Amino acid sequence: MDKIAVKIDDLTVAYNYKPVLWDIDLEIPEGVLMAIVGPNGAGKSTLIKSILGILKPIAGSVSIYGKSYEKQRSLVAYVPQKGSVDWDFPTTALDVVMMGTYGSLGWIKRPKQKEKKAALEALEKVGMLSFKNRQISQLSGGQQQRIFLARALVQNASIYFMDEPFQGVDATTEIAIINILKELRKAGKTLIVVHHDLQTVPEYFDWVTFLNVKKIATGPVKDIFNDDNLTKTYGINYKVSIQE
Amino acid sequence: MLGSFAVLRKQSLLGDAISHAALPGIAIAFLITGAKDSNILLIGALISGLIGTFWIRGIISKTHLKSDTALGLILSLFFGFGMLLLTFIQKQPNANQAGLDKYLFGQAATLVESDVWLMAIVTGICLIVLLLFWKEFKLLLFDADYTKTLGFNTKFIDILITTFIVIAIVLGLQTVGVVLMSAMLLAPAAAARQWTNSLGIMVVLAAIFGAFSGVVGTAISASQNNLSTGPVIVLVAAVFVLISFLFSPSRGLLFREIRFRKNRRDLKLQKTLSFMFNIAKTHEDISHPHTIKILNNFQGFTRKTLQKLVDQNYVTISENMWSLTPKGFDSAANLYNQNQNQNE
């Protein structure tokens, strides 16, 4: 058996009265590139946010490599939804990527040359080096998404959580991003990605979790990505019919 | 200076709510001590300002009300309560009561040396805290959820920023007064935002604008009789905002309009040239003359654009005929590419 990177037990989350996530048990093995799919309001983002402690679950526990998330924080990086921040904030692309180093710096200490170098390398990896001094409001949606990815890369984590990194980006950026994700997986990292485009799941991912408030199924794409699970998740008779 | 953070948090009205919330604190502090010692009154203002702020926080997080509703609610509630207390105090046979209403509109003339020292010290402390936690403040302002995942205690940073905003407001109350204080907090920050895209420069600029409006406003009001200082300071700050909106190079309305016009003119010129190019292209000799009349078919064509093209040596005219020069032909062929390069 592979090592388990993330283990979730009985996770239940509710915003008001209605539960958004119900009794989620999930084990994510190390080194997979996993998609979380499900309809709108299925709790995909909520799942990630609860794992990361941004939201407080009503019940349940999360462990990262067998220890609590608080102790393993440095192993985990997060790419939020692009729309979650104000891109008119007065700062540059490089500065945003530098933020990825703040966690390892801790309180009060300032980023130095070493951090700057790491940020520049990450920018280069996502193909945004020439935009380093660009005001972030003047970047296109795809470029902003790459900046967010670079910020997570700087954290040099083992597990990456990404909330819809392909949302609103053009084909070029989508390919650039998926190539970086595949590279990360090759390096032994674990990647958990909230994903919307069902067509590309078999092409991009090797592991998938179907979610709709409850967990429907989880496992290798080639075994469980089928019409049966899709129908269970989306409620309608869904046919993607994977080509053999 | 701290206003920058309020503006960037989209909580601009928080300042207004806090300053109004401070009023009952001043009144209650007076009622309890019966003295008009400004330090004690300010502590009262600080306490009720903080209570107001955290109530607003509570309302936003515990109910479904939007933040502007919560702000408006707390603002009017505290201000109404404060006014009630003030009228109550005025009816009392206490010789000291006169002058409390100066906190409504502010009166810089009542400042004494110890007040100024207090302000200087607190400003110094704010500055040190700001420098120490600069990185954390910036991170929280930009992306609060992400800040949490990096392991920072966001509540602590949040309370720190808010507390300092409250302190700054309470200190300004004596000078500018409850009603106008929020302008003092926001105007310099709004003006500064127009000039820069860097948070650091923005904060420094806001501090300079704020200090400058303070000095100029005081000078103006001192030179004239019967001009109260607070409103003059706020008006000076407003002038800064106006100038910044109009004239800042990148975001200002004036330069934007100029750039916009110039861009349109250039494009018109280029399109005319390319129209000519398409005609000239059909002939063996690119300099083959054509009548100017056919250009009238092209929307947006004027004699002026033609003259401009002549000035740039792209076109030559003789009588009613025009012809492209080789230079004009080449540049017309590359127009689209040129445009692309410029935009990069």
Side-chain angles (χ1 to χ4, degrees):
Chain A
M1 258 309 266
D2 293 323
K3 261 209 288 188
I4 298 299
V6 183
K7 191 167 185 300
I8 301 165
D9 289 307
D10 297 332
L11 190 75
T12 300
V13 184
Y15 285 120
N16 292 311
Y17 309 104
K18 224 177 124 200
V20 184
L21 291 174
W22 186 256
D23 259 355
I24 306 288
D25 289 305
L26 187 62
E27 288 184 353
I28 305 169
E30 184 179 43
V32 296
L33 176 47
M34 184 180 93
I36 302 178
V37 296
N40 291 331
K44 303 183 295 290
S45 300
T46 309
L47 178 63
I48 286 189
K49 285 185 180 167
S50 330
I51 296 172
L52 296 172
I54 297 166
L55 290 172
K56 231 179 144 196
I58 287 182
S61 65
V62 174
S63 68
I64 309 281
Y65 284 118
K67 288 189 197 147
S68 78
Y69 165 70
E70 277 73 30
K71 284 185 188 142
Q72 304 280 52
R73 227 185 263 279
S74 61
L75 298 177
V76 178
Y78 173 47
V79 180
Q81 264 183 37
K82 196 176 63 203
S84 64
V85 304
D86 173 16
W87 287 95
D88 203 28
F89 193 81
T91 190
T92 60
L94 177 63
D95 218 29
V96 173
V97 179
M98 293 271 269
M99 288 177 185
T101 66
Y102 287 6
S104 58
L105 281 169
W107 289 93
I108 295 175
K109 263 209 260 158
R110 311 212 148 206
K112 302 233 165 55
Q113 279 307 314
K114 188 180 130 220
E115 281 76 24
K116 193 174 171 188
K117 213 179 126 223
L120 287 173
E121 276 168 16
L123 271 173
E124 189 166 19
K125 245 184 226 156
V126 298
M128 291 285 294
L129 192 58
S130 53
F131 294 92
K132 64 177 182 190
N133 291 323
R134 188 72 74 89
Q135 168 65 19
I136 53 169
S137 60
Q138 285 157 14
L139 298 171
S140 72
Q143 291 168 336
Q144 291 172 345
Q145 191 66 60
R146 291 194 209 193
I147 293 296
F148 261 15
L149 183 61
R151 186 176 69 170
L153 289 177
V154 167
Q155 285 177 254
N156 208 1
S158 313
I159 306 172
Y160 291 82
F161 290 92
M162 306 186 180
D163 204 343
E164 300 201 20
F166 301 112
Q167 192 189 41
V169 305
D170 60 16
T172 329
T173 305
E174 181 155 339
I175 292 164
I177 292 176
I178 195 65
N179 283 338
I180 292 168
L181 300 193
K182 285 181 170 166
E183 220 171 87
L184 286 170
R185 187 197 43 198
K186 248 183 226 153
K189 317 277 187 186
T190 310
L191 300 112
I192 296 115
V193 181
V194 172
H195 194 56
H196 252 305
D197 183 8
L198 294 170
Q199 308 291 338
T200 52
V201 169
E203 185 189 335
Y204 290 170
F205 300 94
D206 58 2
W207 208 266
V208 64
T209 294
F210 291 95
L211 189 75
N212 191 355
V213 184
K214 293 178 189 173
K215 185 188 77 179
I216 312 288
T218 184
V221 170
K222 60 179 183 341
D223 298 341
I224 69 156
F225 194 72
N226 51 36
D227 293 350
D228 184 34
N229 279 326
L230 283 165
T231 307
K232 272 191 208 155
T233 310
Y234 287 87
I236 49 167
N237 215 352
Y238 207 97
K239 292 242 187 304
V240 281
S241 303
I242 314 162
Q243 283 90 14
E244 291 301 313
Chain B
M1 181 171 70
L2 282 157
S4 307
F5 293 102
V7 169
L8 290 175
R9 296 188 85 182
K10 310 221 152 120
Q11 286 188 334
S12 309
L13 274 176
L14 184 68
D16 213 19
I18 294 170
S19 59
H20 282 77
L23 191 63
I26 294 171
I28 290 171
F30 177 78
L31 280 176
I32 293 172
T33 61
K36 221 166 49 184
D37 178 38
S38 64
N39 288 340
I40 291 173
L41 294 184
L42 285 182
I43 290 173
L46 186 66
I47 293 170
S48 77
L50 282 172
I51 292 174
T53 317
F54 289 108
W55 276 15
I56 293 170
R57 283 289 150 89
I59 290 177
I60 296 170
S61 63
K62 297 272 159 25
T63 72
H64 281 298
L65 293 177
K66 289 259 165 60
S67 68
D68 52 349
T69 319
L71 286 171
L73 208 65
I74 295 296
L75 184 152
S76 36
L77 180 72
F78 274 68
F79 190 61
F81 186 51
M83 287 305 287
L84 192 80
L85 288 174
L86 275 190
T87 31
F88 174 71
I89 290 169
Q90 270 166 9
K91 295 255 164 62
Q92 280 204 329
N94 186 333
N96 265 332
Q97 45 129 331
L100 266 191
D101 52 346
K102 78 173 187 201
Y103 285 98
L104 275 183
F105 297 109
Q107 215 170 343
T110 58
L111 289 177
V112 291
E113 206 187 321
S114 67
D115 293 333
V116 177
W117 275 113
L118 182 72
M119 280 189 194
I121 292 167
V122 175
T123 311
I125 295 173
C126 285
L127 207 63
I128 292 168
V129 172
L130 185 68
L131 285 175
L132 277 180
F133 293 102
W134 177 255
K135 181 181 86 203
E136 286 79 9
F137 283 172
K138 189 166 71 179
L139 190 60
L140 182 78
L141 286 176
F142 179 61
D143 194 342
D145 280 354
Y146 185 72
T147 311
K148 227 174 188 174
T149 68
L150 288 182
F152 290 104
N153 185 340
T154 46
K155 268 212 185 97
F156 174 73
I157 309 173
D158 198 27
I159 289 173
L160 204 63
I161 297 181
T162 312
T163 309
F164 276 98
I165 291 177
V166 175
I167 290 175
I169 287 170
V170 166
L171 275 182
L173 281 185
Q174 258 186 313
T175 329
V176 202
V178 165
V179 182
L180 293 175
M181 186 54 214
S182 73
M184 218 30 236
L185 190 69
L186 303 178
R193 181 70 185 89
Q194 292 292 319
W195 295 96
T196 175
N197 277 327
S198 141
L199 180 62
I201 298 173
M202 176 177 165
V203 172
V204 172
L205 269 183
I208 293 173
F209 286 161
F212 200 72
S213 359
V215 172
V216 173
T218 314
I220 293 174
S221 87
S223 67
Q224 298 284 325
N225 277 335
N226 301 326
L227 273 184
S228 60
T229 318
V232 178
I233 294 178
V234 171
L235 283 178
V236 174
V239 171
F240 270 114
V241 177
L242 192 68
I243 292 174
S244 306
F245 278 153
L246 288 178
F247 298 113
S248 93
S250 62
R251 296 182 147 227
L253 292 175
L254 185 71
F255 284 92
R256 211 150 57 183
E257 187 62 30
I258 291 174
R259 260 203 314 271
F260 181 70
R261 291 238 167 110
K262 184 174 176 298
N263 209 356
R264 276 191 79 106
R265 217 174 40 226
D266 288 355
L267 275 178
K268 221 178 225 170
L269 214 62
Q270 289 178 354
K271 291 306 284 183
T272 311
L273 189 63
S274 79
F275 182 74
M276 295 163 124
F277 169 75
N278 283 330
I279 297 169
K281 198 160 69 167
T282 57
H283 294 266
E284 290 272 313
D285 174 21
I286 52 160
S287 302
H288 182 88
H290 303 269
T291 65
I292 286 174
K293 259 195 210 144
I294 47 172
L295 291 179
N296 289 334
N297 294 329
F298 182 71
Q299 203 206 341
F301 168 76
T302 55
R303 282 308 283 227
K304 228 164 127 194
T305 42
L306 189 64
Q307 190 54 47
K308 276 233 175 76
L309 289 171
V310 173
D311 292 345
Q312 287 179 20
N313 274 332
Y314 288 155
V315 178
T316 52
I317 312 182
S318 54
E319 292 174 19
N320 276 331
M321 308 293 271
W322 61 267
S323 55
L324 278 179
T325 62
K327 187 184 165 198
F329 187 83
D330 287 345
S331 95
N334 288 319
L335 266 184
Y336 186 70
N337 291 338
Q338 271 176 17
N339 248 327
Q340 287 294 316
N341 291 337
Q342 265 172 23
N343 288 337
E344 256 307 295

